[in-house]
Amino acid sequence: MPCCSRKKTDGIEPQPIDRNKEKSAIDSNNSSNSGIDYSITIKTGNYDNSTTNGPVYIKIFGRDNKQTEDLLLTNSPNDKSFQSDSIKKFSVKGADIGKPHRIIIRHEDNENEWFIDYVEISVHNFLIRFVANRWLSATKHDQKLSVELFGSEQPAALYNVEVQTGSEQIEPLDSPVYIQIHGTTTRTPKIFLEPKDASFTKDSTVNFDISSNNVGEIQKIVIGHEGTGTVNDWYLKNVKVQTSAEQQKFTVNKWLSKTKGDQKLFVELNRNAISPPEIYSITIRTADVQRIDTIENIEMSIHGSNGHIDKILLKDHVKSNQQKIFQKGSLDEFEIEDKDIGDIESITIGFNDDEQIFAWLLESIDIKYKETVYRFQTQCWLSSRLGSNFSWITIKPDTNNDNINYKVIIETGDSKIDANVILCIYGDKDTTKNLALRTTKDGRSAKFDKDSRLEFDLKDIDVGKIQKINIGHDGKGDEQQWFLKSIEIEKNDEYYLFKAYRWLSEEQENFIDLLSEETLEEDQILYRIKIITSSEDDSGTDSNVFMKIYGENDQTKRFQLITTEQDSKLLFKKGKTDKFDIKLNDVGNIQKINIAQDGKGLHPVWHLKTVEIQKGTEFYKFNADEILDLSMLDVDLTPMPHVRLQSPKPIKSETPPKSIIKVQETMYEVLLRFDSRQETPIDDDNSLYMIIFGVNGQTKKMPLLLNKNGETEFKTNDVGKISKIILGQDETKHQVIWHVDNIIIKRGNEITTFNVERSIEQNTQIELTPSPIRKPSETPTIGVETKARPSSKKQNDIDYEIKTTTGEKSFDGKITFKIRGELGIITIPLTKTKTDAKPFQSKATDEFLCRTNDVGKLRRIIIEYNGTKNDNVWHLKKLQIIKGNEIYNFNTNIRLDYHENKVTLYPNDQRKEDFVQTELRRLRENLHSESLKLRRPLHKAHEPFVYNDLRPYFDTSTVEKAIHEPLETPTGYYTRLTALRIVEPWEAYGMDYGVNYELLKQRRYRTQSAKRSLPTQNGMMILPPLSLPFGGQITYVNPAKSDRSRSSVSSKRRSSSKHNDSIDRTQGSTHLPEFPCVAMQKPAAYQRTLTLNDVSKIRSFLRTHHTLKADYQKEKDYKRTHDDFYRMKLDNAASHTPINRDNMVRVYHSYLGTTPGSKKAVRDLCDQIPLNATKTTVETTV
C-alpha cells in the first residue's frame, strides 16, 4: 500500500512504495529524545507456511497528519517471532501522534509469505484494532510486502459481499479481485475476495463473508482486480454489500480491463439514494390461431432513454388471478414496479425453448407508463424452430411513417397444408419480422389447398431492395407435406419473383431461403445436368439425390436434383436418363463433382452409370459405374478430358481488321487501415479482394496479399483516374470479419483516399467512391514506406530445393506443389529428381530442383495428389524446402490418395494446426494399421462358416466423414457390419436380408469352391427350408432377384403366424439360441411412443431407480456370497498347503467378488480364515 503521509487516501489504485524515501521521512515536529511507549500486538494467521524472518517495520499515523518514524519490531534480521497462528506483543518507543488512526506495516522477507490477521495498538488509554486478513507476499494478492490498515475502537464488523458477473464474460477471471469499503468514520483496507474455485464466470453470482474494521454507514466502495492473471478482462454487473445495519446495491455493468471499456482495472461506486418505483401497465394480445402447446415462461425486458429493466418473468406479474395466460385469442394484463427509465425506446420479448417444442403468435403489446401509451404491433411468430434466436424479438414503438405495404402472392402445387406458414423478407437496408400468413387480402382464413393461389397484404418496415426471403411452416396440423411453387412480392412499384418448386416437410426441411429470379440471372449461370442410371436389374432408387460441383475458382452449394416437370418418384429408374436445368454460381472449369443419395426410401441402392454436365460452351462427362448404398452414400467423380462445344464460324467481314490495342499496365500501391475492433492478425492469409474502376475501364478481381502493416501492391491494367472501387471478402474456413477504417491507393503520382468505417463479412462486398479521410493526422505517406520495394523492379528467379521422404510403399502417381509466399504463388510439379531417378520409391529420400520466381518468405504450401483412383497411396514422412539461404521444415507424416487429394502445410515456425483434423487423421491411421493385422479363418468344408470379425471395430468410414464433411452431416438412418459373421447363404438371407445389402452382394459372387454341393434347378441353387425370425419359409433364393422380391418377402413374414407348428425349427447350421426378450416394467409416463426428447428423462429415471435399489442389492449380494462361501467349503483353506493358500485367496476374490456387496462379503470372510498373514496378503492383493 502507498504511504499516505500528508495526503487523504481516496481509494484510487495503490502506487508502489518508495522505501528509501519512506525510511528517511520522519516528522520534523518529532524529536528523537521525546517519545512514548506503544504496546503493539500482532496476530499471524493460521495458514501453512505463514511466517516471516525478515525485519518488520510499522509506521503509525494520527489524525492531524502526525506520524512516527519506521518502528522496528524485530530484534535481529533473522528473528523468527512471527510463526503460523502466533500472537506476539512488542513495546516500542515512538513519537506521540495522539490517537492512532491508520498504520503502514511491512516486512522485507521476499522468500516467505506472511498472513496477518490483525494489529492492536494500546496508547493513551486507547485500544485500536487494525484488521488485515491478508497476505504480505511477493507472489500472492497484489504481490506487495506492505499494507495500509485503518483502525477502529469498535468490534470488527462482518460484511457479506455479493458479486455478480455479467453474461458478456467469456472466460473465467483468474486475476486477484479486491474490494475497499468507505464509510462515514473510516474505510477498510484492500480486502481480497478469494473464491474456492473459478467463481467469476459468465452469469455467476458469488457471496463472500469478510471481517474487517467497522466503517460506520457505507458511503462508497472501490472494487477491481490486479490484472496479473491469464484472463484479465472482467465484465462486472452488480455488487451488493450487506452488514447487520444496512444493505447497499451498486450497479456497474462495465468492463474492468486494460483493453476494453475505459481501460481501467477498478471502479469507484458511490451510494445512491433510492427513488420510489414507477408502475408499468402491460397488455399483451395473443393471436386467435389454433396451437397444440401453450407456453407460460414468457420474459420481457424494457429499454428506455435513461436505463433499462432486466428480463422479468411475466407470469409473476399478472394483474388478475387468472389461471392460464397466453391462450388462443386472449388479452392478458400485467403490472410491473421498477425504476424510472425515461422514454421507452424498445422492448425485447420471448422465451427459451432449446427442445423446439413451442410456437407463439404474438399480435400486439401496449405499455402504459406515466400517462403515455406505447403500442407495439408485432403480428409475428416466435419459435426456435425458425432458427437459433427466433424465439426472441426486439421491437420499437409504432411510428406511422416507417411501415409500407407488401403484396404477396403464394402459389401451391400438387399438395395442401394446414400448418402455420411464416414469411421473412431480407433487404439491403433491413429485415422484416416473421410475418404470419394467416389472413388473405379479402379477410378470409388462409388455406393452402392444392393448386391454390393466395394473395396477402402485409405491412412492415421498408427493407430496401429485396435480396432474399425465408419461407416455411411450423409442422403443426395433419397435413405437413407442402409443395411450394412460387412467391411473388410487390412493394413501391418493385416486383420480385421467387421460384421454389420443392417440398417443405419435417422429413427434409421446413424452411428455405430463396433468391429472386432477377438476382439469379445477374449472378448465376445455367448448368444442364444429365444423369444416366444403369440398365441392370435393381439399379434404380427412390432416395433423394444430391450434387455438389467443385471448380477452379469456386464451388456450389449442395443442391438436390429435382425437376418441376415430373414427379420426384419417377426419377432415377432403371435404364433411365434424367435431365435437370439448374442455375448456380459460376465455379470456372469443373474439377470434380460429389454426387450422393440420402439412403431414405424403400430401395436405398442406386447403380449410377454416367453424369454429363453442360455449362455454356463447355461439356463435361463423368464415368461412374458405381453402386451407392447404405455403406457408401456418396462418391467423388472427376471429368474425362472435356470438350468445348464448337460455336458457329463467324462470317468473314469485308472491313479491314482493327489494329490490336496493347493494354497498358501500371503499379497500384494499396494501404488498408483497420480500426480498434480488428482482432484478427493482418497478413496475406486473408480472403479480401478489390476491383478498381476508372475512366478507362476496370481491373479484374485482385486478391489483397497484405503485409503486417496492411500494405500490398500489384500490377494490372491502367484504368486511368479512379472513380470507384469494390472491396469484398470471399468465403473462408474461419469466420473472419474485417473492420476497415480507410483505404489509400497510389497510382503513379496520383493518390486517392476512401473513408470506409465499415465491416466486411464473408461473401459480401461494398462499393466505395473517393472521399477524404476523417482523421488526416493519422494518414501515412505511402511513398516513403514503399521505397524499399520500387514498383518497376522485376521479381528475381531463385532455386527451390525440395527434399521428400516416402514411407514403406512406393508411389507411381503425380504430385504438384503450390508454394505461397509474401510476394505471390508458384506451382512446381515433382516429376524429375536431381539424379534422374524414379521418384517416390519405398523409403527413399528424393531431391527436386526448380528455378522460378522468388515469392519471398514462404507462408504455406499446398500438396496436390494428381493420380487416378487405381493409383496407390503416397505416404509423405518428411519434407524440407531450401530457398537460397532459407530452410523451411514441415511436420508431415501424411497420406494422400484419390479421395484425400490435397493438404495444406505451414512451416514449423508459423504452422497453423487444426488439432481436430490432426487427431482424426491419427485415429484413421491407427485404425487402418490395426485392421491390416486381422485375418479371417479358413473355411472348412461342410462346416458353418461362423466367426467373430473385429474388422467393424476398425472401420474408418465414420472418421473419413468427420474429416471431409464435419459440418454437413445428412440426417437419416445408418447401418454397420456386426462382429458376428454368418456366411451360410440361407442364414445370411434370413438374418441379414434388408439390413446389409453389401453382404448379400459379396455372397452372390462367392467362388464355386465355397458353395455347398446342392442340386440346382434352371441354374438356381435349391436350398433347404429356412426358418425366419418372423415365421414363414423360403424354399430357394434367387440372388439376381433378391432385391426385387424384398417387399413380397417382408409381407410374407408379417402374414405368417408366430406359432405355426408346420415350421421345422431344427433347420439351419448354427443352431443359435432364441433371441432373448428382456422384460422391463415401463413407467406409466412412457407407455406412449418415445422420441429423442425423452432420452434425458429416461436416463435420469434409470439413475434414480438404480440408486434407490443399490443398498438393497448390496445386502442381497452380501448374503448370497456369504452362503456360497460356506456351501462351497471355502473356509477350509487352512487345510491346504501353504504354497497354495495365497493363490486360493486371490481366486476367491476374483471368482466371487464381482459386485460391491459380494466384494465386502469375501473381504470379511477371508479375514476370518485362520491363516498366517492371510489378511495382509488379501488387502495387498485387493
Side-chain angles (χ1 to χ4, degrees):
M1 294 294 296
C3 176
C4 300
S5 175
R6 297 178 176 86
K7 292 183 180 180
K8 292 184 179 181
T9 55
D10 54 1
I12 299 179
E13 178 69 16
Q15 302 298 319
I17 299 174
D18 188 351
R19 292 180 178 170
N20 296 326
K21 179 183 277 189
E22 184 180 330
K23 288 183 180 180
S24 62
I26 301 176
D27 194 345
S28 60
N29 296 327
N30 296 330
S31 173
S32 60
N33 297 324
S34 62
I36 62 172
D37 291 329
Y38 289 88
S39 178
I40 301 175
T41 303
I42 299 180
K43 170 70 166 60
T44 300
N46 187 14
Y47 289 92
D48 293 339
N49 301 321
S50 172
T51 183
T52 178
N53 296 329
V56 176
Y57 296 91
I58 188 170
K59 182 178 285 190
I60 308 173
F61 296 83
R63 291 198 175 268
D64 297 328
N65 289 331
K66 292 183 178 181
Q67 67 182 43
T68 68
E69 65 273 16
D70 281 337
L71 305 177
L72 179 64
L73 301 181
T74 50
N75 298 325
S76 62
N78 294 320
D79 189 355
K80 298 184 179 180
S81 300
F82 304 99
Q83 300 300 315
S84 176
D85 200 25
S86 65
I87 300 178
K88 293 296 179 181
K89 295 184 178 180
F90 305 90
S91 180
V92 294
K93 279 187 176 291
D96 187 2
I97 51 93
K99 182 180 179 180
H101 172 54
R102 58 187 175 89
I103 65 172
I104 293 178
I105 186 170
R106 62 183 173 88
H107 72 106
E108 296 182 353
D109 186 358
N110 291 317
E111 297 180 356
N112 292 313
E113 300 170 341
W114 186 26
F115 187 92
I116 305 180
D117 272 352
Y118 61 85
V119 177
E120 280 186 349
I121 299 179
S122 177
V123 65
H124 293 308
N125 295 324
F126 293 113
L127 180 61
I128 313 296
R129 173 169 286 195
F130 301 83
V131 181
N133 279 333
R134 61 158 292 163
W135 289 94
L136 297 186
S137 168
T139 59
K140 292 184 177 180
H141 288 173
D142 52 2
Q143 302 177 2
K144 294 180 179 179
L145 301 181
S146 66
V147 63
E148 181 183 26
L149 303 178
F150 299 88
S152 175
E153 291 183 275
Q154 301 178 5
L158 183 65
Y159 299 88
N160 179 265
V161 179
E162 180 181 286
V163 181
Q164 185 176 2
T165 303
S167 59
E168 290 81 355
Q169 187 76 21
I170 300 176
E171 298 181 86
L173 176 73
D174 59 357
S175 175
V177 175
Y178 65 86
I179 187 172
Q180 189 175 28
I181 305 172
H182 296 246
T184 54
T185 60
T186 182
R187 58 179 175 268
T188 68
K190 283 177 64 174
I191 304 172
F192 285 89
L193 307 178
E194 296 185 274
K196 296 180 180 179
D197 51 15
S199 298
F200 301 105
T201 59
K202 179 179 180 179
D203 284 332
S204 65
T205 301
V206 196
N207 287 281
F208 302 91
D209 290 328
I210 55 179
S211 176
S212 190
N213 52 308
N214 195 330
V215 300
E217 187 178 357
I218 299 174
Q219 297 298 315
K220 70 176 181 178
I221 65 171
V222 177
I223 187 170
H225 65 95
E226 295 296 330
T228 57
T230 56
V231 177
N232 297 316
D233 299 329
W234 184 28
Y235 190 86
L236 179 59
K237 188 175 182 181
N238 295 315
V239 181
K240 186 190 296 182
V241 181
Q242 183 175 359
T243 65
S244 59
E246 63 175 325
Q247 173 180 307
Q248 292 294 327
K249 183 177 180 180
F250 303 89
T251 302
V252 187
N253 287 326
K254 67 183 299 184
W255 284 100
L256 303 185
S257 167
K258 292 182 179 179
T259 59
K260 297 182 179 181
D262 54 7
Q263 300 181 0
K264 291 183 179 180
L265 296 180
F266 69 96
V267 62
E268 183 176 324
L269 305 171
N270 294 309
R271 178 188 185 127
N272 295 324
I274 302 176
S275 58
E278 299 288 343
I279 297 178
Y280 299 80
S281 298
I282 302 173
T283 304
I284 298 179
R285 181 183 295 276
T286 302
D288 187 12
V289 296
Q290 186 63 38
R291 290 184 293 129
I292 299 177
D293 301 310
T294 58
I295 184 170
E296 294 185 351
N297 62 328
I298 306 295
E299 296 178 298
M300 174 189 283
S301 62
I302 307 175
H303 306 270
S305 58
N306 299 329
H308 69 278
I309 300 175
D310 291 334
K311 285 182 183 178
I312 55 174
L313 190 62
L314 289 177
K315 71 177 182 180
D316 296 338
H317 300 271
V318 181
K319 195 172 183 180
S320 61
N321 294 325
Q322 61 191 79
Q323 296 295 326
K324 293 185 178 181
I325 55 178
F326 308 118
Q327 300 297 307
K328 171 185 176 182
S330 66
L331 190 68
D332 304 301
E333 296 182 352
F334 308 89
E335 193 171 273
I336 300 174
E337 293 185 0
D338 212 299
K339 59 188 176 182
D340 184 4
I341 61 172
D343 296 333
I344 296 179
E345 296 178 346
S346 66
I347 63 172
T348 299
I349 189 170
F351 54 90
N352 296 319
D353 182 20
D354 296 334
E355 298 181 355
Q356 301 183 1
I357 298 177
F358 302 104
W360 180 40
L361 181 54
L362 175 61
E363 188 163 307
S364 64
I365 300 174
D366 293 340
I367 300 180
K368 184 178 180 181
Y369 169 57
K370 289 185 176 180
E371 305 302 327
T372 303
V373 177
Y374 298 87
R375 174 154 295 177
F376 302 83
Q377 290 290 346
T378 53
Q379 285 287 342
C380 70
W381 280 98
L382 301 182
S383 175
S384 57
R385 303 183 200 135
L386 307 176
S388 57
N389 292 318
F390 279 75
S391 61
W392 293 89
I393 186 174
T394 300
I395 46 180
K396 298 179 180 179
D398 287 351
T399 54
N400 297 328
N401 299 327
D402 289 345
N403 294 342
I404 64 170
N405 287 322
Y406 291 86
K407 178 182 177 182
V408 179
I409 300 176
I410 308 292
E411 186 175 359
T412 302
D414 189 14
S415 69
K416 66 177 182 178
I417 188 174
D418 53 6
N420 300 308
V421 177
I422 303 164
L423 172 68
C424 185
I425 304 174
Y426 298 81
D428 58 355
K429 296 181 179 178
D430 210 334
T431 304
T432 67
K433 57 181 174 288
N434 297 323
L435 306 172
L437 304 181
R438 60 188 185 92
T439 305
T440 60
K441 182 179 180 180
D442 52 9
R444 293 182 298 177
S445 178
K447 294 183 179 180
F448 297 90
D449 294 330
K450 177 181 178 181
D451 296 328
S452 63
R453 184 179 172 89
L454 303 181
E455 184 175 339
F456 301 86
D457 274 346
L458 306 177
K459 196 174 186 66
D460 210 289
I461 59 175
D462 187 2
V463 298
K465 184 178 180 181
I466 298 178
Q467 294 181 337
K468 71 172 183 177
I469 64 171
N470 179 275
I471 190 170
H473 62 87
D474 61 358
K476 299 294 183 181
D478 298 330
E479 298 290 340
Q480 299 184 9
Q481 299 281 342
W482 184 30
F483 189 84
L484 175 62
K485 280 189 175 181
S486 63
I487 302 98
E488 301 175 41
I489 299 179
E490 294 183 21
K491 79 167 188 74
N492 296 342
D493 298 328
E494 299 175 5
Y495 175 80
Y496 300 89
L497 174 64
F498 303 85
K499 292 185 179 180
Y501 288 98
R502 68 182 68 184
W503 291 92
L504 301 182
S505 65
E506 289 280 359
E507 296 179 355
Q508 298 180 8
E509 53 183 349
N510 282 20
F511 291 86
I512 56 172
D513 289 335
L514 297 175
L515 300 176
S516 67
E517 289 297 303
E518 179 184 359
T519 304
L520 292 175
E521 292 175 0
E522 292 177 356
D523 302 335
Q524 300 184 343
I525 65 171
L526 181 66
Y527 291 79
R528 297 185 181 274
I529 303 173
K530 185 185 296 184
I531 306 294
I532 302 174
T533 304
S534 176
S535 58
E536 297 182 8
D537 292 339
D538 300 321
S539 296
T541 184
D542 56 354
S543 300
N544 299 315
V545 177
F546 300 86
M547 179 182 287
K548 191 172 184 179
I549 303 175
Y550 299 82
E552 62 179 357
N553 300 329
D554 201 353
Q555 62 187 28
T556 68
K557 63 180 181 180
R558 190 172 185 258
F559 57 91
Q560 184 179 357
L561 294 176
I562 190 171
T563 179
T564 60
E565 299 176 356
Q566 57 180 326
D567 190 356
S568 60
K569 298 179 181 179
L570 301 178
L571 299 174
F572 314 115
K573 297 304 179 184
K574 168 187 171 182
K576 190 177 178 182
T577 299
D578 300 293
K579 299 180 180 180
F580 308 90
D581 289 346
I582 301 178
K583 285 187 175 181
L584 299 166
N585 55 304
D586 189 1
V587 300
N589 292 330
I590 298 177
Q591 304 289 339
K592 71 173 182 177
I593 64 171
N594 176 273
I595 191 166
Q597 55 108 347
D598 59 2
K600 298 180 180 180
L602 299 176
H603 193 264
V605 181
W606 181 35
H607 189 171
L608 173 63
K609 186 176 181 181
T610 308
V611 179
E612 298 177 0
I613 299 179
Q614 180 181 343
K615 183 176 74 75
T617 60
E618 300 174 358
F619 179 80
Y620 301 86
K621 185 175 183 180
F622 305 81
N623 287 333
D625 197 19
E626 293 282 354
I627 296 178
L628 303 183
D629 54 17
L630 295 177
S631 63
M632 187 176 71
L633 292 174
D634 66 328
V635 64
D636 287 340
L637 303 175
T638 54
M640 301 175 63
H642 69 275
V643 179
R644 185 178 297 274
L645 299 181
Q646 295 183 356
S647 57
K649 295 182 179 180
I651 302 175
K652 293 183 179 180
S653 175
E654 298 296 332
T655 58
K658 296 181 180 180
S659 60
I660 300 176
I661 301 177
K662 185 176 180 180
V663 178
Q664 184 178 0
E665 294 186 345
T666 188
M667 182 67 69
Y668 292 86
E669 299 176 21
V670 180
L671 171 64
L672 270 70
R673 305 191 71 241
F674 302 87
D675 63 20
S676 59
R677 295 175 296 169
Q678 188 62 42
E679 299 180 354
T680 305
I682 303 171
D683 56 15
D684 64 346
D685 189 13
N686 61 72
S687 57
L688 292 172
Y689 64 85
M690 178 184 290
I691 305 175
I692 304 175
F693 297 79
V695 294
N696 298 332
Q698 69 180 63
T699 67
K700 61 182 180 180
K701 182 178 176 181
M702 304 299 298
L704 300 180
L705 306 178
L706 303 175
N707 59 19
K708 294 182 179 180
N709 298 324
E711 299 175 347
T712 185
E713 59 182 17
F714 49 84
K715 190 173 184 180
T716 184
N717 58 300
D718 189 0
V719 299
K721 185 176 181 180
I722 299 176
S723 59
K724 68 175 182 178
I725 63 171
I726 289 179
L727 180 67
Q729 182 185 180
D730 289 325
E731 183 178 0
T732 60
K733 183 185 297 184
H734 307 287
Q735 299 289 336
V736 179
I737 300 178
W738 298 97
H739 305 282
V740 184
D741 197 355
N742 52 65
I743 301 174
I744 303 174
I745 302 178
K746 183 177 181 182
R747 170 185 159 270
N749 295 324
E750 174 189 338
I751 296 179
T752 309
T753 61
F754 300 83
N755 192 65
V756 185
E757 297 183 356
R758 295 175 65 178
S759 299
I760 312 296
E761 299 181 355
Q762 291 192 30
N763 294 323
T764 60
Q765 63 181 21
I766 58 175
E767 182 176 314
L768 302 169
T769 56
S771 58
I773 297 177
R774 296 185 182 180
K775 301 176 182 179
S777 61
E778 299 180 7
T779 305
T781 57
I782 300 181
V784 175
E785 297 183 351
T786 57
K787 286 182 180 179
R789 296 186 299 173
S791 59
S792 60
K793 184 177 179 180
K794 184 180 179 181
Q795 285 184 334
N796 298 324
D797 290 344
I798 197 170
D799 289 331
Y800 291 83
E801 184 177 352
I802 303 174
K803 296 181 179 180
T804 64
T805 301
T806 304
E808 298 289 339
K809 294 184 179 181
S810 301
F811 174 67
D812 298 330
K814 300 178 180 179
I815 299 295
T816 302
F817 275 37
K818 289 185 177 180
I819 302 177
R820 179 163 189 172
E822 59 185 357
L823 302 179
I825 302 175
I826 58 172
T827 301
I828 302 176
L830 303 186
T831 56
K832 189 176 182 181
T833 64
K834 292 172 64 176
T835 60
D836 292 335
K838 187 175 182 181
F840 314 127
Q841 297 303 300
S842 175
K843 300 181 180 180
T845 298
D846 301 309
E847 296 184 5
F848 304 86
L849 185 62
C850 178
R851 186 172 182 84
T852 182
N853 295 338
D854 185 4
V855 296
K857 184 178 180 180
L858 300 192
R859 297 293 190 187
R860 65 175 181 265
I861 65 170
I862 299 175
I863 306 177
E864 294 183 349
Y865 172 100
N866 300 325
T868 63
K869 191 171 183 180
N870 297 326
D871 290 336
N872 56 351
V873 179
W874 183 40
H875 181 191
L876 176 60
K877 297 189 69 175
K878 296 180 181 179
L879 174 62
Q880 184 184 74
I881 298 179
I882 302 175
K883 183 178 74 70
N885 296 326
E886 302 171 3
I887 300 177
Y888 299 89
N889 294 306
F890 300 84
N891 288 339
T892 54
N893 197 24
I894 59 173
R895 287 177 169 83
L896 295 177
D897 54 20
Y898 177 76
H899 296 287
E900 188 173 357
N901 54 17
K902 184 185 294 186
V903 67
T904 301
L905 300 176
Y906 296 86
N908 288 344
D909 58 339
Q910 53 184 301
R911 184 166 58 101
K912 301 180 180 179
E913 283 192 289
D914 188 338
F915 293 101
V916 175
Q917 290 287 325
T918 302
E919 284 299 305
L920 288 172
R921 288 186 169 86
R922 182 190 61 79
L923 175 60
R924 180 185 61 181
E925 182 177 348
N926 291 344
L927 290 174
H928 178 69
S929 60
E930 290 297 324
S931 64
L932 296 178
K933 303 176 184 178
L934 304 177
R935 298 290 186 271
R936 68 169 61 185
L938 296 177
H939 181 195
K940 298 180 181 180
H942 311 294
E943 289 186 10
F945 194 27
V946 183
Y947 63 94
N948 285 330
D949 186 6
L950 298 179
R951 194 174 300 274
Y953 298 106
F954 299 98
D955 182 25
T956 60
S957 59
T958 304
V959 183
E960 292 284 355
K961 194 167 191 65
I963 291 175
H964 296 292
E965 288 186 305
L967 299 178
E968 298 182 4
T969 304
T971 57
Y973 299 93
Y974 299 90
T975 63
R976 68 175 180 86
L977 295 175
T978 60
L980 184 62
R981 289 297 181 88
I982 305 174
V983 293
E984 291 294 336
W986 45 91
E987 288 297 331
Y989 192 89
M991 299 183 71
D992 293 335
Y993 181 69
V995 178
N996 198 324
Y997 177 81
E998 280 294 318
L999 194 57
L1000 285 179
K1001 188 175 68 172
Q1002 294 173 8
R1003 293 170 186 159
R1004 184 186 305 175
Y1005 298 108
R1006 284 176 59 186
T1007 60
Q1008 187 65 30
S1009 61
K1011 296 180 181 178
R1012 285 180 176 268
S1013 178
L1014 294 174
T1016 59
Q1017 178 180 338
N1018 295 330
M1020 297 305 300
M1021 191 187 313
I1022 305 299
L1023 305 180
L1026 170 65
S1027 174
L1028 296 178
F1030 301 100
Q1033 291 183 342
I1034 298 178
T1035 56
Y1036 70 93
V1037 178
N1038 185 349
K1041 298 182 179 181
S1042 58
D1043 291 336
R1044 215 182 312 166
S1045 59
R1046 175 178 175 181
S1047 60
S1048 62
V1049 172
S1050 300
S1051 61
K1052 289 179 182 180
R1053 290 179 177 178
R1054 289 190 292 268
S1055 63
S1056 300
S1057 174
K1058 183 178 180 181
H1059 303 285
N1060 190 350
D1061 297 333
S1062 63
I1063 298 175
D1064 184 4
R1065 300 187 183 275
T1066 63
Q1067 295 295 324
S1069 59
T1070 58
H1071 303 289
L1072 295 175
E1074 293 184 5
F1075 192 82
C1077 181
V1078 180
M1080 177 179 174
Q1081 184 178 1
K1082 285 186 180 179
Y1086 301 125
Q1087 297 294 338
R1088 56 180 172 80
T1089 303
L1090 301 180
T1091 65
L1092 287 176
N1093 296 330
D1094 299 314
V1095 172
S1096 60
K1097 300 177 183 177
I1098 295 175
R1099 287 176 177 167
S1100 177
F1101 166 76
L1102 292 176
R1103 281 194 296 268
T1104 305
H1105 189 69
H1106 181 271
T1107 304
L1108 293 176
K1109 292 189 176 182
D1111 294 336
Y1112 169 75
Q1113 186 65 34
K1114 187 175 181 180
E1115 295 177 1
K1116 182 179 177 181
D1117 292 344
Y1118 185 93
K1119 185 178 184 306
R1120 172 181 56 79
T1121 306
H1122 183 277
D1123 296 341
D1124 289 343
F1125 191 86
Y1126 288 103
R1127 177 181 58 79
M1128 300 170 67
K1129 299 180 180 181
L1130 301 181
D1131 55 325
N1132 297 330
S1135 61
H1136 297 279
T1137 59
I1139 300 176
N1140 295 333
R1141 289 175 188 172
D1142 287 344
N1143 291 333
M1144 291 183 65
V1145 171
R1146 292 188 180 93
V1147 172
Y1148 293 171
H1149 281 274
S1150 300
Y1151 185 72
L1152 296 178
T1154 56
T1155 65
S1158 61
K1159 287 180 180 179
K1160 187 177 186 303
V1162 174
R1163 190 180 302 111
D1164 294 344
L1165 291 168
C1166 288
D1167 288 344
Q1168 299 173 10
I1169 298 176
L1171 298 175
N1172 293 331
T1174 301
K1175 181 175 181 180
T1176 303
T1177 306
V1178 171
E1179 291 177 350
T1180 304
T1181 305
V1182 175

